[in-house]
Amino acid sequence: MNVLWVFAHPEPRSLNGALRDDGLRTLRELGHAVRESDLYAMKWNPVVDAADFGGEAGDERLVVGATSARAHARGELSPDIVAEQEKLDWADAVVVQFPLWWYGLPAILKGWFDRVFVKGFGYGVRAEDGRTLRYGEGRLAGKRAMVVLTAGAREPAMGPRGVNGALAEVLFPLHHGTLFYAGMSVLRPFPVYGADRLPAEQFAEAREQLRERLRTLETASPIPFRTQNGGDYDEDLVLRPDHAPGATGLGVHVD
């Protein structure tokens, strides 16, 4: 496969950096073609502004969705955005790696999604019959995505009753609301817990576990999120009462 590795950690000599280096090496050994977006090394600009939209930039009020859609359609997005979109078009699978900071992504990675997944590319895509293609459909459908992350918390504290909340729910905005929204098939994440105090033997174990996950990148079953247009939701995009009857919360969107 063609694999894009998006890396968001400021220190290449960190545990994250070591896992990234080993992961890229493993993918190449398996015969995959690899490209990387090392956002800190690239000094990626995470801030959306009018300059992103080329000829669309001007003195009028900036409406980001509509303006970005026109700039994308006209080929007027800034070159750094276009370069990342070309990588995504090339990729069959995307690995997104980051440390979990304040229950979310580092700002530089959030800004990568903000600027690259513009309307007409990551969202706002329609079928010929006018249906909105999202949540399992869209321009990025057919591509796989896997999150690799480190967390300072120990694993029990990110379990179903842990004080930090279950990891699946912490990652729901990224897994379901970004990657799956844009059409991608999302694989189970690869977390490394207690990362700031990980002894050498546990790091070696984590490295081997990541290698094994990468060996199955092409074949592993994705998280079975319910597709928007698959019949599970009504016209208001509310889950039909015969699915997960009586249940509420984020988990009902997994079949």
Side-chain angles (χ1 to χ4, degrees), residues 57-239:
D59 296 330
E60 296 185 6
R61 184 171 70 92
L62 176 62
V63 181
V64 171
T67 305
S68 67
R70 289 193 298 268
H72 174 256
R74 297 174 182 173
E76 295 176 345
L77 292 170
S78 65
D80 58 341
I81 295 174
V82 172
E84 297 306 296
Q85 291 178 341
E86 289 175 347
K87 292 178 188 177
L88 284 164
D89 283 337
W90 167 86
D92 302 306
V94 180
V95 176
V96 182
Q97 183 185 358
F98 58 94
L100 188 67
W101 288 349
W102 293 111
Y103 281 81
L105 313 179
I108 199 169
L109 179 56
K110 177 60 166 61
W112 184 83
F113 283 109
D114 289 346
R115 295 186 65 223
V116 176
F117 280 42
V118 299
K119 190 171 186 178
F121 185 87
Y123 74 103
V125 179
R126 293 188 178 274
E128 292 182 1
D129 62 5
R131 289 180 305 119
T132 300
L133 301 178
R134 59 189 173 199
Y135 292 120
E137 299 177 303
R139 174 164 180 159
L140 300 183
K143 300 179 185 296
R144 308 190 128 221
M146 186 177 80
V147 168
V148 175
L149 80 154
T150 57
R154 294 180 295 111
E155 184 171 3
M158 298 200 74
R161 291 172 59 84
V163 69
N164 295 305
L167 182 63
E169 295 191 354
V170 172
L171 290 179
F172 191 84
L174 174 58
H175 277 166
H176 186 267
T178 304
L179 300 170
F180 185 66
Y181 187 102
M184 305 178 81
S185 298
V186 184
L187 307 184
R188 290 182 300 108
F190 180 81
V192 178
Y193 299 101
D196 55 352
R197 62 185 74 86
L198 200 69
E201 63 271 16
Q202 290 185 22
F203 170 73
E205 181 180 348
R207 184 176 60 183
E208 184 52 44
Q209 290 173 345
L210 178 57
R211 289 174 177 173
E212 184 57 34
R213 288 294 306 276
L214 294 174
R215 292 184 187 106
T216 63
L217 187 63
E218 193 171 6
T219 59
S221 298
I223 300 169
F225 289 128
R226 301 179 188 274
T227 60
Q228 174 183 296
N229 297 319
D232 288 357
Y233 298 92
D234 64 20
E235 61 277 6
D236 292 318
L237 300 183
V238 175
L239 190 66

Side-chain angles (χ1 to χ4, degrees), residues 5 15-23 97 150 192 203 206-207 210:
W5 196 295
L15 183 150
N16 268 279
L19 286 175
R20 181 269 314 268
D21 293 345
D22 199 69
Q97 183 185 358
T150 57
V192 178
F203 170 73
R207 184 176 60 183
L210 178 57

